[in-house]
Amino acid sequence: MIVKIVSILVLFSLAANHLFSQDALAVVVDTEKSVKPGTPSHSSGLSVFEFRIYTTENDLKSIPDDMLEKHVFGQDVSRRLYLLESKYTFETPTVPGNPQTKTMVRKPIIYEAVMRIEHHLKKGVKKGTNTLETATVTFTKVLDVALNAISADSNSFEKAIGNTPDLDSLIALFTNRVSLVM
């Protein structure tokens, strides 16, 4: 009788182990498919980066008009640039007790890329190669990506910026290869 019970328990445990191993495999497959924010997704030839949306319209509306500088691309871009400056830069004292300060940048690769893109788009509008509306929409998307990348792990995105050969490819990286998710 004991032999029968032991053999039934062994068979049951083998069957249960087989069933649970299938569940474990499903969990592993699901976690491999999910993409963490700020990491590249390798579903296509070029990697796509995902960042969570943190910047809200309330942040932009809370900036007083007298704090803004006039910008070629409009007041909405001016608000986003002010928010970018406030999030990416900070002041540190050069020497304790000295009133002079030094401006530091949090993610300098992303910040400098945004500034280069702004200069390139302004120059394109001035030369007539870009329309003002197209440049405004493009730069707004670039600013949104930069504002949301500040709070994410963006090491792979920064490496992609460093490996981008020219400004048109850099603009394509910010506008086409980054998705902002809720």
Side-chain angles (χ1 to χ4, degrees), residues 143-157:
L143 286 171
D144 286 341
V145 168
L147 286 170
N148 291 303
I150 188 70
S151 58
D153 178 22
S154 60
N155 291 333
S156 58
F157 181 60

Side-chain angles (χ1 to χ4, degrees), residues 44-126:
S44 65
L46 296 174
S47 57
V48 176
F49 303 93
E50 289 185 358
F51 296 113
R52 288 202 177 274
I53 297 177
Y54 292 108
T55 307
T56 62
E57 292 298 319
N58 293 333
D59 292 340
L60 296 172
K61 290 178 182 176
S62 67
I63 302 169
D65 289 337
D66 58 341
M67 298 292 289
L68 302 175
E69 295 179 14
K70 267 197 157 208
H71 199 276
V72 175
F73 299 143
Q75 190 169 6
D76 189 42
V77 169
S78 181
R79 288 184 188 282
R80 282 176 166 71
L81 270 175
Y82 181 83
L83 199 57
L84 182 92
E85 289 286 331
S86 67
K87 287 189 175 196
Y88 272 82
T89 61
F90 61 97
E91 301 286 326
T92 59
T94 54
V95 178
N98 190 350
Q100 292 181 338
T101 59
K102 183 165 115 175
T103 303
M104 302 294 288
V105 179
R106 283 194 174 82
K107 294 187 178 187
I109 294 174
I110 297 174
Y111 182 79
E112 290 169 9
V114 170
M115 294 299 123
R116 287 177 35 216
I117 290 172
E118 178 190 20
H119 180 71
H120 178 71
L121 291 174
K122 280 183 180 178
K123 194 164 50 169
V125 168
K126 197 179 276 189

Side-chain angles (χ1 to χ4, degrees), residues 117-180:
I117 290 172
E118 178 190 20
H119 180 71
H120 178 71
L121 291 174
K122 280 183 180 178
K123 194 164 50 169
V125 168
K126 197 179 276 189
K127 286 183 177 179
T129 58
N130 280 341
T131 64
L132 182 63
E133 294 80 22
T134 307
T136 303
V137 169
T138 301
F139 193 56
T140 302
K141 170 72 175 176
V142 168
L143 286 171
D144 286 341
V145 168
L147 286 170
N148 291 303
I150 188 70
S151 58
D153 178 22
S154 60
N155 291 333
S156 58
F157 181 60
E158 291 176 36
K159 286 179 186 173
I161 291 172
N163 294 334
T164 306
D166 60 348
L167 283 171
D168 292 327
S169 300
L170 190 62
I171 291 171
L173 172 67
F174 272 87
T175 57
N176 298 335
R177 291 177 45 200
V178 175
S179 63
L180 300 175

